[in-house]
Amino acid sequence: MSSNPPEANLVHFIQLRGSSTVMKVMQRIGLKYMDENPNIRLPLLGGGTAMGYKSALDGTADIGMASGQIPQNIQLWASKHKLAIDEVSIATDGIAAIVNPANPINDLSLEQLHDIFTGSVTNWNALGKFSGAINVVSHDPQLGTYEPWKRQVAGKDHITLKAKVVNGLDSLMQAVSSDPLAIGYVGTTFLGKGKVKALAIDGFLPTYTNIKQQHYPIRNQLQLLAKSSAHNEVHNFIAYCLDPNKGQMMIKEMGLVPAAGE
């Protein structure tokens, strides 16, 4: 008969929900963590950064996943109900401007990117090399990548109303890979997923070194969200994600800049 106390054999579920960008990281770390901790299960659900914040705040997830700042409407709702969570940065990602490989343009300035995404420049001939109406493809505002892109590229201006808004990374990659006149944006971990080309911005490609050294200008914090009062298994998993020899090492292997440094 086993001498272990009954609770030692219990299976603990840690529900994660939110950003698809962070979910990709959690899939990698989570598999390793469950191998090392057979009594832990880590079910993952998407839904976007807004859902990550809401789920962590209302308790429908143990850990929220976010790749952008908290949406204002959820922040107001949380304040009204006196709800709070801890935001833990696990990595820095770059957000790449992507075009179809048939597009001859390889480099844009941040100012040119602003003018494209706010609708001031609407034809590729304004940027040289070839002509055609620019087809802007943007994420749904509820998805985390939208907020840091809008903040760092459009600034106080709005993303053009003529943009094709898609709900999901697969749809965005498909829209750009099938249209020589399209331009969109994705986190760098998704660059190998479709036939698209990442542009250099102000002379810098979104490589690991350029993001780490802050030469590439469009960057994003990937975060885990949890209540301070969460059970120990939640805090243990977050600590694992922050361990330089465990989660942070896997994050670096994925091409992301670890939050814990090197």
Side-chain angles (χ1 to χ4, degrees), residues 91-231:
T92 301
D93 188 15
I95 307 177
I98 57 170
V99 295
N100 188 285
N103 189 321
I105 291 176
N106 296 310
D107 191 340
L108 292 173
S109 68
L110 190 57
E111 182 179 0
Q112 288 172 323
L113 203 59
H114 167 277
D115 291 345
I116 289 171
F117 275 85
T118 57
S120 298
V121 171
T122 59
N123 197 296
W124 287 108
N125 62 14
L127 306 168
K129 296 189 178 180
F130 82 121
S131 181
I134 299 174
N135 295 328
V136 174
V137 186
S138 183
H139 290 281
D140 186 297
Q142 294 300 307
L143 300 182
T145 309
Y146 172 89
E147 183 276 325
W149 181 267
K150 193 269 179 193
R151 172 166 39 87
Q152 295 173 85
V153 174
K156 295 180 180 179
D157 297 320
H158 296 289
I159 299 291
T160 175
L161 294 176
K162 294 182 179 179
K164 178 180 181 179
V165 177
V166 296
N167 186 11
L169 286 157
D170 289 339
S171 298
L172 190 140
M173 296 290 273
Q174 174 62 27
V176 175
S177 65
S178 63
D179 182 359
L181 300 176
I183 184 169
Y185 55 96
V186 295
T188 59
T189 58
F190 293 94
L191 284 176
K193 195 173 181 181
K195 296 180 180 179
V196 297
K197 178 174 69 174
L199 298 178
I201 305 301
D202 291 334
F204 293 99
L205 284 165
T207 63
Y208 177 90
T209 299
N210 287 339
I211 294 166
K212 180 185 176 185
Q213 295 179 351
Q214 300 185 15
H215 295 313
Y216 184 77
I218 311 166
R219 302 180 300 276
N220 191 21
Q221 295 298 309
L222 306 187
Q223 299 181 101
L224 298 180
L225 318 168
K227 293 182 178 180
S228 299
S229 59
H231 53 81

Side-chain angles (χ1 to χ4, degrees), residues 17 60 144 231:
R17 188 168 191 178
T60 54
H231 53 81

Side-chain angles (χ1 to χ4, degrees), residues 10-16 33 39-43 56 59-64 86 225-240:
L10 290 176
V11 173
H12 297 278
F13 287 84
I14 302 173
Q15 178 70 64
L16 293 92
Y33 190 77
N39 65 323
I40 297 294
R41 299 291 183 273
L42 295 163
T60 54
D62 298 297
I63 298 175
D86 295 328
L225 318 168
K227 293 182 178 180
S228 299
S229 59
H231 53 81
N232 288 337
E233 286 80 7
V234 169
H235 293 295
N236 290 342
F237 176 67
I238 292 175
Y240 184 92

